[in-house]
Each structure stands twice: as structure tokens, then as C-alpha cells.
Amino acid sequence: MSNNTDKPSEFDFATRAVRAGQVRTQEGEHSEPIFPTSSYVFSSAAEAAARFSGEQPGNIYSRFTNPTVRTFEQRLASLEEAECCVATASGMSAITATIIGLLKTGDHIVSSRSIFGSTTVLLTNIIAKLGIATSFVELSDLAAWEKAIKPETRLLFLETPSNPLTELVDIAALAEIAHKHGCLLAVDNCFCTPALQQPIRLGADIVIHSATKYIDGQGRCVGGAVCGTRDVVGEGVYGFLRTAGPTMSAFNAWIFLKGLETLNLRMQAHSAAALELAQWLEQQPEVQRVYYPGLPSHPQHELAAQQQSGYGGLLSFELTGGKAEGWALIDATRLLSITANLGDTKSTITHPASTTHGRLTPEQRAEAGISDGLIRVAVGLESIEDIKADLLRGMR
Ligand SMILES: *Cc1c(COP(=O)(O)O)cnc(C)c1O
């Protein structure tokens, strides 16, 4: 766990992404060092006692204190403008630590229906076993959120924009509803990252990350993080993590630190490429509809322009055909990777109806808006002309 020691106003975002949280050792290294050590030694028995009692701050054991992990936490906290950040072993463990760290049996969660598949399974199959129930609502429907809140509701949870249909919710309006009812608002900010959207500035209490995606940005490591206030994240979430142990390793923290240094540039490049691809797709006769918040045709384009400083790298589109045409398009690609992952320099292509949403019934899929002709592309950093040519191979 690390407290944010940088005053956000002192340096701009791009500067903090490169420099925040670094503590140089006596070796004078320019790049942040990796500390691959499980434990730390004390100069005396009295110092050991003072560390263990919490009287003296400092390292004890790398399940909960590691200098490389701390640098990553401080940098991300600075970028999210959070008081505090806790790094975790994965995005899923960040969500688990948030819920178990802050809620108890009998509490209730209201969640967007359009969330990462494993998060849905976590809520309905694992968290439910602890006696913490979840009600699912339509992401953009503020009235539905408020209606689903019960006296025992403690947490509202969402991702915006959603995957794969890029639907949004007004974070500031939902934060107001959450606080009126004494609930915490948690935003999984995986798709935008703080480079494009800062939920805490908009009133959210907790920001969750799968660092595996854009924070790494090159598809190497699995990791996660939770950002928020000292009270909520520094106590509840960190309290769970230090004892239960789904901790980020020093090696992974170092990779993610290097990812943060180029996050701003990469998110701008992903956004520019996705916008160009979305505009091009809208002109193709084989494409019926394109879902991308940067397009004026997107029903929430104005909200996206207000709430985000860029539109991100994720888009989806509906072919005029169905599953056969969708699969043919995917199988004709030579460049795009056929995988459900995202947030990589390499572009990826997915058929949601038969993969990420394959376990839903046809009725559930229809309700979620996932048609058989829907294709999702997470636009990477290759030449946009090569990506267009690759998609064109399977279209005509
Ligand atoms: C991938 C992902 C997760 C889970 O993260 P892992 O690092 O794979 O555990 C959570 N939320 C979103 C939105 C994701 O895309």
C-alpha cells in the first residue's frame, strides 16, 4: 500500500507518468531498481519490534511491502489523483480484494450488467456464497441504478465504456446517486486508463485496474490495482491484501512502471487509430453499424467527449451478415491476432457471440445486444492501413 505523496497540481500528467514515486538509492540509478527480496533485515531487535508494531514505517516482508511495488503504486495513485493505491496480482484479485476487504455478509452490490465475464462469475458464483448478493442493471440507465439500491447496498460497480458495445454511464451523476444512498462507487477503469478518464475527479470512490491490459500495454504481465482514499483503500482493501496475499511481484511492478511511462502516448495513438478505423468501417457496405464513442453516430458521443479526454482503442461493428460472415472475416485476417485479450500493441479480433459471450443463451445475448454478426477489434499500434487491408480481406 502506498500513499500518494505527489501534489497533483505540481506537475502535469505526462511528467508524473514518467517520474512519480521514484526514490533513488545511494547507487544513483536513473531507471527504477527492482527489489527481488522476500524479506528485509533490521538493524536491531528494537527496530524489528518498532516495524512490526507499526511505530516505525518501513519494509517488513514483500507480501505487503516492496520498494518496486511501492513506486508503481505511488505513480498510479498520482495519475488517478487518488490518496492511495494498492497493487495486486491480477485485475480479478483487485476486484476480489475490494469486495472482500470492504463488504461483509448481508451487504448488497449493484453492478452494471455489461462487465468483464470473470467479474460476473466472481459476483454470482463466489461472492454470493459469502452472503453478499448482487443486482445487475443496465449501465446507462441512472433510474435503474437508483431503483436497485436497497438499505443494505454498500457498493456500485461498473466499467465505462462497456465491452464490446462501448456504452457509457455518466460517472458524476452516478456518484451523486451512490453518495445520496451511502454507497461507494467503484469504476473498473481498464479501458480508458487515467490517461483518458479519471473517475475519482468525477466523484467515484474507488478505481480498479487490470494492469494486464493498457498499463502494461505490451501483453507481458498479469497484474492489478485499487486506488482510492486512505480510509477505504488504505485500510479495508490493503487489510485484506496483506493477510490474504494476492500481491503484485516486484518484477511485474517494474514492467508496469515502464508501461506507465509511455501510457499517455500509447493511449493517444490507440485512440487516433481506433477513430480512423471506426470512420472507415462506417463507410464499408458490409458493415451495418459501428460502435465507437468517438463517432458522432454514437448515442453517447457528447458524454464521451465530456467525460473522457480520448475515446480509447476498443471498437466493435456489426456485419450485414451473421456468424458465417463474422467467422469468415476473422479467418481471412493474416495480421490481427484471434484472441479475446486487449490493451496490447498488437491488434486483436474477437467474435463475442461465440467466445466471450458464448455461454449466454441466445435470448440473453439478444438482450445484451451481442448479435451473431458482431466483431470486436482492440486496435493496436500497427499501421492503420495494414489493419484496414487485413479486415478488407475477409469482407469482399
Ligand atoms: C481483463 C479484465 C479484468 C481482469 O483482469 P486480469 O488481470 O485478467 O485478472 C477485469 N476487468 C476488465 C475490464 C478486464 O478487461
Side-chain angles (χ1 to χ4, degrees):
M1 186 266 292
S2 285
N3 293 327
N4 176 10
T5 48
D6 292 295
K7 284 188 245 79
S9 53
E10 194 179 347
F11 294 110
D12 287 341
F13 185 96
T15 306
R16 285 180 277 133
V18 175
R19 293 188 174 269
Q22 183 171 12
V23 183
R24 210 159 273 148
T25 74
Q26 72 272 21
E27 300 296 341
E29 72 282 353
H30 197 195
S31 172
E32 297 77 359
I34 307 178
F35 286 91
T37 179
S38 50
S39 70
Y40 303 84
V41 289
F42 311 108
S43 61
S44 66
E47 187 181 74
R51 288 273 175 90
F52 272 82
S53 72
E55 231 168 86
Q56 187 195 87
N59 300 313
I60 299 175
Y61 184 59
S62 280
R63 181 171 2 97
F64 46 94
T65 52
N66 179 279
T68 314
V69 175
R70 191 178 311 127
T71 302
F72 167 73
E73 290 171 332
Q74 290 196 0
R75 191 166 296 176
L76 186 58
S78 173
L79 299 181
E80 287 289 4
E81 301 194 14
E83 279 179 13
C84 173
C85 172
V86 172
T88 59
S90 65
M92 290 318 301
S93 58
I95 299 169
T96 305
T98 301
I99 295 171
I100 301 186
L102 299 174
L103 273 61
K104 61 181 191 315
T105 301
D107 287 345
H108 174 250
I109 300 169
V110 181
S111 170
S112 160
R113 206 186 305 278
S114 309
I115 53 173
F116 188 61
S118 296
T119 310
T120 308
V121 177
L122 176 74
L123 291 169
T124 53
N125 294 6
I126 297 170
I127 297 299
K129 280 200 297 197
L130 308 176
I132 301 169
T134 303
S135 304
F136 292 95
V137 297
E138 187 65 36
L139 174 65
S140 60
D141 186 348
L142 291 171
W145 282 94
E146 187 152 28
K147 210 169 137 219
I149 294 175
K150 305 177 189 187
E152 59 272 27
T153 306
R154 282 273 291 132
L155 184 73
L156 310 190
F157 180 89
L158 62 95
E159 298 165 14
T160 179
S162 70
N163 173 23
L165 295 177
T166 71
E167 202 191 338
L168 277 75
V169 71
D170 184 334
I171 296 175
L174 195 57
E176 212 167 287
I177 292 172
H179 298 153
K180 191 170 98 187
H181 294 275
C183 303
L184 296 168
L185 175 62
V187 176
D188 182 333
N189 201 25
C190 170
F191 302 125
C192 278
T193 82
L196 304 183
Q197 172 172 278
Q198 291 163 303
I200 288 173
R201 274 189 147 187
L202 299 167
D205 303 284
I206 299 163
V207 170
I208 291 171
H209 277 288
S210 167
T212 316
K213 313 295 167 52
Y214 290 104
I215 289 179
D216 178 309
Q218 298 181 51
R220 300 164 297 197
C221 290
V222 173
V226 187
C227 301
T229 61
R230 227 158 267 140
D231 270 0
V232 170
V233 172
E235 296 291 323
V237 179
Y238 180 62
F240 170 81
L241 193 92
R242 65 175 286 158
T243 306
T247 314
M248 179 180 284
S249 77
F251 288 100
N252 287 5
W254 188 82
I255 299 282
F256 293 135
L257 266 173
K258 295 293 133 189
L260 287 179
E261 289 178 17
T262 56
L263 182 69
N264 206 25
L265 285 175
R266 285 187 288 107
M267 293 314 290
Q268 286 176 34
H270 284 295
S271 298
L275 179 61
E276 188 175 338
L277 188 66
Q279 288 166 339
W280 176 81
L281 282 165
E282 264 193 333
Q283 288 159 10
Q284 305 311 307
E286 292 83 358
V287 174
Q288 198 171 337
R289 181 167 174 191
V290 183
Y291 299 87
Y292 186 65
L295 292 174
S297 62
H298 189 287
Q300 293 169 300
H301 176 59
E302 255 174 60
L303 174 62
Q306 217 178 70
Q307 177 162 287
Q308 303 173 202
S309 58
Y311 302 108
L314 199 76
L315 63 81
S316 58
F317 56 98
E318 240 152 48
L319 294 167
T320 48
K323 180 176 158 184
E325 287 76 8
W327 281 24
L329 172 73
I330 289 173
D331 289 339
T333 59
R334 298 209 315 253
L335 183 69
L336 302 192
S337 312
I338 307 173
T339 165
N341 199 26
L342 59 98
D344 200 319
T345 51
K346 299 178 176 73
S347 297
T348 68
I349 188 162
T350 318
H351 183 248
S354 57
T355 58
T356 52
H357 295 69
R359 278 185 288 174
L360 303 184
T361 64
E363 293 75 35
Q364 287 171 322
R365 268 201 298 280
E367 202 194 341
I370 310 293
S371 71
D372 282 347
L374 188 76
I375 301 287
R376 190 200 77 184
V377 175
V379 185
L381 300 179
E382 305 97 334
S383 142
I384 191 68
E385 296 309 324
D386 287 338
I387 295 172
K388 287 180 198 168
D390 208 36
L391 290 171
L392 217 44
R393 277 184 192 106
M395 270 195 224
R396 51 192 78 147

